[in-house]
Amino acid sequence: MGDGELNSENEAADRQSSLAIWTSLVSNIALTILKLVVGLLFGSQVLIADGVHNAGDVFATAAALISMIISKRPPDEDHPYGHGKAEVIGAGIIAVVLVLAGLYMGYHSVLALMEPPHAASFLVLAAGVISLVWKLWLYMYTMNIGKRTNSSGLVATAYDHLADVYASLAAVIGIGLALIGNHYEIEILKYGDPVAGILVAFLVLKLAIHMGRTAVDVLMEKNIDDAQMEPILELVKAVPEVKRIDRIRAREHGHYIIVDVRVGIPAQLTIQEGHDIAKKIKQSIRQQNPLVREVMVHLNPWYEAGAQTIHS
């Protein structure tokens, strides 16, 4: 695959990512309005909390959109490795927003348990069902594109949608139980709404911690996992002139990967031959792994057994 084909694929991926993040932003605005209006009209704590969560999602999705735009900028003098980590920062912001939303939802749900239960409404239940179906579709759509384009920002946004799926599911169950409690005068079921809110808060916090840890790993330049590293290692070994692999590292840089490799090649080869080998290694890795944007190759002299070995 040539550079022209790679660039064409990258442009197509950028268009898909942009469409997905804009769809998420518009959807979050619409769902925020729906949940807050219905929740406030009928006094549903879980729907109000979910609406506030969605309001946070609007901010988080906007942050993801801005970070994705920045991450697509080409390398410059101040950022020679590109701007890919902007997406990871955006993912970290989303994690923080989810933590705040989870704490808010849990606090107000606990308060609601200490008050007389509000009468449940079928309209509130309908709003929860609409949110559940909408968010489930958004999660699958955004996660699919996020994984296909290796976009940290989109994957984080997809997990944000998944948190909303949990929230909406718990809301639907809680409101449904409250409706049953009202109809059959079962007092404990009337508190299904705030109990569901507490459960949602716990799930959202758990998801936020996972997202935050992932973002920190990338920012701290953690090595990619073995499943990703092994194919790259095999490609380097497959180059005939490579006699020894001294070190290989690879790290995520937002939506792409940067690889550093040090190899030993026969010491008697010329500089031009060494250059050609390094080029062969780079092309092999990039052609077989489209997520790899940059490969840096350091060549060390290799000697036959018993001869002097010097490498750094």
PDB file of all heavy atoms in Angstrom, residues 236-260:
ATOM      1  N   VAL A 236      10.100  -7.197  11.852  1.00  0.00           N
ATOM      2  CA  VAL A 236      11.514  -6.793  11.939  1.00  0.00           C
ATOM      3  C   VAL A 236      12.410  -8.022  11.790  1.00  0.00           C
ATOM      4  O   VAL A 236      13.417  -7.999  11.073  1.00  0.00           O
ATOM      5  CB  VAL A 236      11.798  -6.072  13.278  1.00  0.00           C
ATOM      6  CG1 VAL A 236      13.279  -5.710  13.382  1.00  0.00           C
ATOM      7  CG2 VAL A 236      10.949  -4.822  13.400  1.00  0.00           C
ATOM      8  N   LYS A 237      12.050  -9.109  12.439  1.00  0.00           N
ATOM      9  CA  LYS A 237      12.835 -10.350  12.345  1.00  0.00           C
ATOM     10  C   LYS A 237      12.873 -10.892  10.916  1.00  0.00           C
ATOM     11  O   LYS A 237      13.846 -11.546  10.519  1.00  0.00           O
ATOM     12  CB  LYS A 237      12.231 -11.427  13.267  1.00  0.00           C
ATOM     13  CG  LYS A 237      12.439 -11.189  14.746  1.00  0.00           C
ATOM     14  CD  LYS A 237      11.795 -12.324  15.544  1.00  0.00           C
ATOM     15  CE  LYS A 237      11.990 -12.143  17.038  1.00  0.00           C
ATOM     16  NZ  LYS A 237      11.305 -13.226  17.802  1.00  0.00           N
ATOM     17  N   ALA A 238      11.825 -10.608  10.151  1.00  0.00           N
ATOM     18  CA  ALA A 238      11.727 -11.153   8.790  1.00  0.00           C
ATOM     19  C   ALA A 238      12.676 -10.469   7.807  1.00  0.00           C
ATOM     20  O   ALA A 238      12.902 -10.974   6.708  1.00  0.00           O
ATOM     21  CB  ALA A 238      10.283 -11.024   8.293  1.00  0.00           C
ATOM     22  N   VAL A 239      13.249  -9.326   8.178  1.00  0.00           N
ATOM     23  CA  VAL A 239      14.207  -8.644   7.296  1.00  0.00           C
ATOM     24  C   VAL A 239      15.526  -9.421   7.346  1.00  0.00           C
ATOM     25  O   VAL A 239      16.133  -9.545   8.422  1.00  0.00           O
ATOM     26  CB  VAL A 239      14.418  -7.178   7.742  1.00  0.00           C
ATOM     27  CG1 VAL A 239      15.479  -6.498   6.878  1.00  0.00           C
ATOM     28  CG2 VAL A 239      13.100  -6.404   7.675  1.00  0.00           C
ATOM     29  N   PRO A 240      15.988  -9.965   6.220  1.00  0.00           N
ATOM     30  CA  PRO A 240      17.149 -10.882   6.222  1.00  0.00           C
ATOM     31  C   PRO A 240      18.408 -10.297   6.843  1.00  0.00           C
ATOM     32  O   PRO A 240      19.182 -11.027   7.491  1.00  0.00           O
ATOM     33  CB  PRO A 240      17.365 -11.185   4.734  1.00  0.00           C
ATOM     34  CG  PRO A 240      16.047 -10.906   4.082  1.00  0.00           C
ATOM     35  CD  PRO A 240      15.441  -9.787   4.864  1.00  0.00           C
ATOM     36  N   GLU A 241      18.644  -9.010   6.631  1.00  0.00           N
ATOM     37  CA  GLU A 241      19.896  -8.417   7.112  1.00  0.00           C
ATOM     38  C   GLU A 241      19.902  -8.175   8.627  1.00  0.00           C
ATOM     39  O   GLU A 241      20.956  -7.886   9.212  1.00  0.00           O
ATOM     40  CB  GLU A 241      20.162  -7.086   6.399  1.00  0.00           C
ATOM     41  CG  GLU A 241      20.388  -7.204   4.897  1.00  0.00           C
ATOM     42  CD  GLU A 241      19.096  -7.207   4.102  1.00  0.00           C
ATOM     43  OE1 GLU A 241      17.995  -7.225   4.725  1.00  0.00           O
ATOM     44  OE2 GLU A 241      19.173  -7.195   2.862  1.00  0.00           O
ATOM     45  N   VAL A 242      18.748  -8.248   9.265  1.00  0.00           N
ATOM     46  CA  VAL A 242      18.673  -8.013  10.712  1.00  0.00           C
ATOM     47  C   VAL A 242      19.158  -9.261  11.449  1.00  0.00           C
ATOM     48  O   VAL A 242      18.555 -10.322  11.374  1.00  0.00           O
ATOM     49  CB  VAL A 242      17.238  -7.656  11.150  1.00  0.00           C
ATOM     50  CG1 VAL A 242      17.144  -7.590  12.674  1.00  0.00           C
ATOM     51  CG2 VAL A 242      16.812  -6.328  10.541  1.00  0.00           C
ATOM     52  N   LYS A 243      20.283  -9.136  12.142  1.00  0.00           N
ATOM     53  CA  LYS A 243      20.875 -10.261  12.853  1.00  0.00           C
ATOM     54  C   LYS A 243      20.513 -10.274  14.343  1.00  0.00           C
ATOM     55  O   LYS A 243      20.649 -11.299  15.012  1.00  0.00           O
ATOM     56  CB  LYS A 243      22.403 -10.218  12.729  1.00  0.00           C
ATOM     57  CG  LYS A 243      22.899 -10.206  11.288  1.00  0.00           C
ATOM     58  CD  LYS A 243      22.442 -11.443  10.540  1.00  0.00           C
ATOM     59  CE  LYS A 243      22.989 -11.451   9.112  1.00  0.00           C
ATOM     60  NZ  LYS A 243      22.530 -12.652   8.363  1.00  0.00           N
ATOM     61  N   ARG A 244      20.070  -9.130  14.849  1.00  0.00           N
ATOM     62  CA  ARG A 244      19.782  -9.048  16.283  1.00  0.00           C
ATOM     63  C   ARG A 244      18.824  -7.868  16.519  1.00  0.00           C
ATOM     64  O   ARG A 244      18.954  -6.828  15.888  1.00  0.00           O
ATOM     65  CB  ARG A 244      21.097  -8.813  17.039  1.00  0.00           C
ATOM     66  CG  ARG A 244      20.962  -8.740  18.555  1.00  0.00           C
ATOM     67  CD  ARG A 244      22.298  -8.371  19.196  1.00  0.00           C
ATOM     68  NE  ARG A 244      22.712  -7.021  18.784  1.00  0.00           N
ATOM     69  CZ  ARG A 244      23.905  -6.740  18.233  1.00  0.00           C
ATOM     70  NH1 ARG A 244      24.788  -7.699  18.016  1.00  0.00           N
ATOM     71  NH2 ARG A 244      24.208  -5.498  17.894  1.00  0.00           N
ATOM     72  N   ILE A 245      17.871  -8.066  17.398  1.00  0.00           N
ATOM     73  CA  ILE A 245      17.003  -6.951  17.819  1.00  0.00           C
ATOM     74  C   ILE A 245      17.450  -6.551  19.223  1.00  0.00           C
ATOM     75  O   ILE A 245      17.308  -7.311  20.173  1.00  0.00           O
ATOM     76  CB  ILE A 245      15.515  -7.350  17.814  1.00  0.00           C
ATOM     77  CG1 ILE A 245      15.065  -7.699  16.392  1.00  0.00           C
ATOM     78  CG2 ILE A 245      14.652  -6.212  18.368  1.00  0.00           C
ATOM     79  CD1 ILE A 245      13.614  -8.146  16.298  1.00  0.00           C
ATOM     80  N   ASP A 246      18.014  -5.354  19.330  1.00  0.00           N
ATOM     81  CA  ASP A 246      18.524  -4.888  20.616  1.00  0.00           C
ATOM     82  C   ASP A 246      17.417  -4.304  21.491  1.00  0.00           C
ATOM     83  O   ASP A 246      17.418  -4.473  22.704  1.00  0.00           O
ATOM     84  CB  ASP A 246      19.619  -3.837  20.398  1.00  0.00           C
ATOM     85  CG  ASP A 246      20.828  -4.434  19.689  1.00  0.00           C
ATOM     86  OD1 ASP A 246      21.175  -5.582  20.009  1.00  0.00           O
ATOM     87  OD2 ASP A 246      21.391  -3.765  18.802  1.00  0.00           O
ATOM     88  N   ARG A 247      16.471  -3.609  20.866  1.00  0.00           N
ATOM     89  CA  ARG A 247      15.370  -3.040  21.637  1.00  0.00           C
ATOM     90  C   ARG A 247      14.244  -2.662  20.683  1.00  0.00           C
ATOM     91  O   ARG A 247      14.493  -2.215  19.563  1.00  0.00           O
ATOM     92  CB  ARG A 247      15.826  -1.802  22.422  1.00  0.00           C
ATOM     93  CG  ARG A 247      14.734  -1.251  23.350  1.00  0.00           C
ATOM     94  CD  ARG A 247      15.291  -0.214  24.299  1.00  0.00           C
ATOM     95  NE  ARG A 247      15.685   1.004  23.607  1.00  0.00           N
ATOM     96  CZ  ARG A 247      16.294   2.033  24.192  1.00  0.00           C
ATOM     97  NH1 ARG A 247      16.628   1.960  25.466  1.00  0.00           N
ATOM     98  NH2 ARG A 247      16.606   3.111  23.509  1.00  0.00           N
ATOM     99  N   ILE A 248      13.026  -2.841  21.146  1.00  0.00           N
ATOM    100  CA  ILE A 248      11.882  -2.398  20.355  1.00  0.00           C
ATOM    101  C   ILE A 248      10.833  -1.828  21.316  1.00  0.00           C
ATOM    102  O   ILE A 248      10.532  -2.427  22.353  1.00  0.00           O
ATOM    103  CB  ILE A 248      11.302  -3.536  19.490  1.00  0.00           C
ATOM    104  CG1 ILE A 248      10.166  -3.006  18.607  1.00  0.00           C
ATOM    105  CG2 ILE A 248      10.841  -4.707  20.334  1.00  0.00           C
ATOM    106  CD1 ILE A 248       9.764  -3.958  17.500  1.00  0.00           C
ATOM    107  N   ARG A 249      10.343  -0.657  20.982  1.00  0.00           N
ATOM    108  CA  ARG A 249       9.322  -0.002  21.797  1.00  0.00           C
ATOM    109  C   ARG A 249       8.255   0.573  20.870  1.00  0.00           C
ATOM    110  O   ARG A 249       8.546   0.922  19.726  1.00  0.00           O
ATOM    111  CB  ARG A 249       9.931   1.143  22.626  1.00  0.00           C
ATOM    112  CG  ARG A 249      11.015   0.713  23.597  1.00  0.00           C
ATOM    113  CD  ARG A 249      11.575   1.864  24.386  1.00  0.00           C
ATOM    114  NE  ARG A 249      12.240   2.856  23.526  1.00  0.00           N
ATOM    115  CZ  ARG A 249      12.912   3.904  23.980  1.00  0.00           C
ATOM    116  NH1 ARG A 249      13.003   4.122  25.279  1.00  0.00           N
ATOM    117  NH2 ARG A 249      13.475   4.751  23.150  1.00  0.00           N
ATOM    118  N   ALA A 250       7.057   0.674  21.375  1.00  0.00           N
ATOM    119  CA  ALA A 250       5.979   1.286  20.595  1.00  0.00           C
ATOM    120  C   ALA A 250       4.974   1.912  21.559  1.00  0.00           C
ATOM    121  O   ALA A 250       4.661   1.330  22.600  1.00  0.00           O
ATOM    122  CB  ALA A 250       5.300   0.250  19.708  1.00  0.00           C
ATOM    123  N   ARG A 251       4.498   3.086  21.220  1.00  0.00           N
ATOM    124  CA  ARG A 251       3.563   3.786  22.102  1.00  0.00           C
ATOM    125  C   ARG A 251       2.450   4.426  21.277  1.00  0.00           C
ATOM    126  O   ARG A 251       2.650   4.804  20.125  1.00  0.00           O
ATOM    127  CB  ARG A 251       4.291   4.865  22.902  1.00  0.00           C
ATOM    128  CG  ARG A 251       4.940   5.946  22.052  1.00  0.00           C
ATOM    129  CD  ARG A 251       5.933   6.752  22.884  1.00  0.00           C
ATOM    130  NE  ARG A 251       6.453   7.911  22.179  1.00  0.00           N
ATOM    131  CZ  ARG A 251       7.457   7.894  21.322  1.00  0.00           C
ATOM    132  NH1 ARG A 251       8.040   6.742  21.029  1.00  0.00           N
ATOM    133  NH2 ARG A 251       7.879   8.998  20.748  1.00  0.00           N
ATOM    134  N   GLU A 252       1.298   4.507  21.886  1.00  0.00           N
ATOM    135  CA  GLU A 252       0.178   5.190  21.232  1.00  0.00           C
ATOM    136  C   GLU A 252       0.381   6.687  21.332  1.00  0.00           C
ATOM    137  O   GLU A 252       0.832   7.204  22.347  1.00  0.00           O
ATOM    138  CB  GLU A 252      -1.144   4.792  21.886  1.00  0.00           C
ATOM    139  CG  GLU A 252      -1.572   3.365  21.592  1.00  0.00           C
ATOM    140  CD  GLU A 252      -2.971   3.083  22.097  1.00  0.00           C
ATOM    141  OE1 GLU A 252      -3.837   3.963  21.996  1.00  0.00           O
ATOM    142  OE2 GLU A 252      -3.189   1.972  22.602  1.00  0.00           O
ATOM    143  N   HIS A 253       0.020   7.381  20.252  1.00  0.00           N
ATOM    144  CA  HIS A 253       0.113   8.838  20.232  1.00  0.00           C
ATOM    145  C   HIS A 253      -1.245   9.372  19.754  1.00  0.00           C
ATOM    146  O   HIS A 253      -1.352  10.002  18.711  1.00  0.00           O
ATOM    147  CB  HIS A 253       1.236   9.287  19.299  1.00  0.00           C
ATOM    148  CG  HIS A 253       1.735  10.678  19.580  1.00  0.00           C
ATOM    149  ND1 HIS A 253       2.622  10.960  20.587  1.00  0.00           N
ATOM    150  CD2 HIS A 253       1.439  11.872  19.000  1.00  0.00           C
ATOM    151  CE1 HIS A 253       2.878  12.258  20.597  1.00  0.00           C
ATOM    152  NE2 HIS A 253       2.171  12.826  19.649  1.00  0.00           N
ATOM    153  N   GLY A 254      -2.280   9.049  20.526  1.00  0.00           N
ATOM    154  CA  GLY A 254      -3.629   9.416  20.105  1.00  0.00           C
ATOM    155  C   GLY A 254      -4.188   8.350  19.189  1.00  0.00           C
ATOM    156  O   GLY A 254      -4.346   7.194  19.574  1.00  0.00           O
ATOM    157  N   HIS A 255      -4.466   8.716  17.930  1.00  0.00           N
ATOM    158  CA  HIS A 255      -5.073   7.765  16.999  1.00  0.00           C
ATOM    159  C   HIS A 255      -4.043   7.033  16.148  1.00  0.00           C
ATOM    160  O   HIS A 255      -4.402   6.366  15.184  1.00  0.00           O
ATOM    161  CB  HIS A 255      -6.083   8.485  16.088  1.00  0.00           C
ATOM    162  CG  HIS A 255      -5.499   9.633  15.326  1.00  0.00           C
ATOM    163  ND1 HIS A 255      -5.287  10.868  15.898  1.00  0.00           N
ATOM    164  CD2 HIS A 255      -5.081   9.747  14.045  1.00  0.00           C
ATOM    165  CE1 HIS A 255      -4.762  11.689  15.002  1.00  0.00           C
ATOM    166  NE2 HIS A 255      -4.623  11.030  13.878  1.00  0.00           N
ATOM    167  N   TYR A 256      -2.755   7.163  16.463  1.00  0.00           N
ATOM    168  CA  TYR A 256      -1.728   6.418  15.734  1.00  0.00           C
ATOM    169  C   TYR A 256      -0.634   5.948  16.685  1.00  0.00           C
ATOM    170  O   TYR A 256      -0.621   6.303  17.869  1.00  0.00           O
ATOM    171  CB  TYR A 256      -1.132   7.253  14.596  1.00  0.00           C
ATOM    172  CG  TYR A 256      -0.607   8.615  14.997  1.00  0.00           C
ATOM    173  CD1 TYR A 256       0.706   8.791  15.406  1.00  0.00           C
ATOM    174  CD2 TYR A 256      -1.432   9.735  14.938  1.00  0.00           C
ATOM    175  CE1 TYR A 256       1.196  10.038  15.760  1.00  0.00           C
ATOM    176  CE2 TYR A 256      -0.957  10.990  15.284  1.00  0.00           C
ATOM    177  CZ  TYR A 256       0.349  11.143  15.695  1.00  0.00           C
ATOM    178  OH  TYR A 256       0.823  12.373  16.052  1.00  0.00           O
ATOM    179  N   ILE A 257       0.269   5.112  16.166  1.00  0.00           N
ATOM    180  CA  ILE A 257       1.331   4.494  16.969  1.00  0.00           C
ATOM    181  C   ILE A 257       2.692   4.922  16.439  1.00  0.00           C
ATOM    182  O   ILE A 257       2.888   5.042  15.227  1.00  0.00           O
ATOM    183  CB  ILE A 257       1.202   2.955  16.932  1.00  0.00           C
ATOM    184  CG1 ILE A 257      -0.095   2.511  17.624  1.00  0.00           C
ATOM    185  CG2 ILE A 257       2.407   2.276  17.580  1.00  0.00           C
ATOM    186  CD1 ILE A 257      -0.378   1.027  17.476  1.00  0.00           C
ATOM    187  N   ILE A 258       3.630   5.134  17.362  1.00  0.00           N
ATOM    188  CA  ILE A 258       5.019   5.447  17.009  1.00  0.00           C
ATOM    189  C   ILE A 258       5.893   4.293  17.496  1.00  0.00           C
ATOM    190  O   ILE A 258       5.776   3.853  18.644  1.00  0.00           O
ATOM    191  CB  ILE A 258       5.476   6.771  17.655  1.00  0.00           C
ATOM    192  CG1 ILE A 258       4.661   7.942  17.092  1.00  0.00           C
ATOM    193  CG2 ILE A 258       6.966   6.996  17.425  1.00  0.00           C
ATOM    194  CD1 ILE A 258       4.973   9.270  17.748  1.00  0.00           C
ATOM    195  N   VAL A 259       6.758   3.792  16.604  1.00  0.00           N
ATOM    196  CA  VAL A 259       7.609   2.638  16.912  1.00  0.00           C
ATOM    197  C   VAL A 259       9.073   3.063  16.917  1.00  0.00           C
ATOM    198  O   VAL A 259       9.518   3.790  16.017  1.00  0.00           O
ATOM    199  CB  VAL A 259       7.397   1.504  15.881  1.00  0.00           C
ATOM    200  CG1 VAL A 259       8.350   0.342  16.163  1.00  0.00           C
ATOM    201  CG2 VAL A 259       5.948   1.027  15.884  1.00  0.00           C
ATOM    202  N   ASP A 260       9.819   2.611  17.929  1.00  0.00           N
ATOM    203  CA  ASP A 260      11.276   2.803  17.996  1.00  0.00           C
ATOM    204  C   ASP A 260      11.922   1.419  18.016  1.00  0.00           C
ATOM    205  O   ASP A 260      11.545   0.582  18.844  1.00  0.00           O
ATOM    206  CB  ASP A 260      11.699   3.539  19.272  1.00  0.00           C
ATOM    207  CG  ASP A 260      11.021   4.888  19.407  1.00  0.00           C
ATOM    208  OD1 ASP A 260      11.016   5.642  18.430  1.00  0.00           O
ATOM    209  OD2 ASP A 260      10.479   5.166  20.503  1.00  0.00           O
TER     210      ASP A 260
END
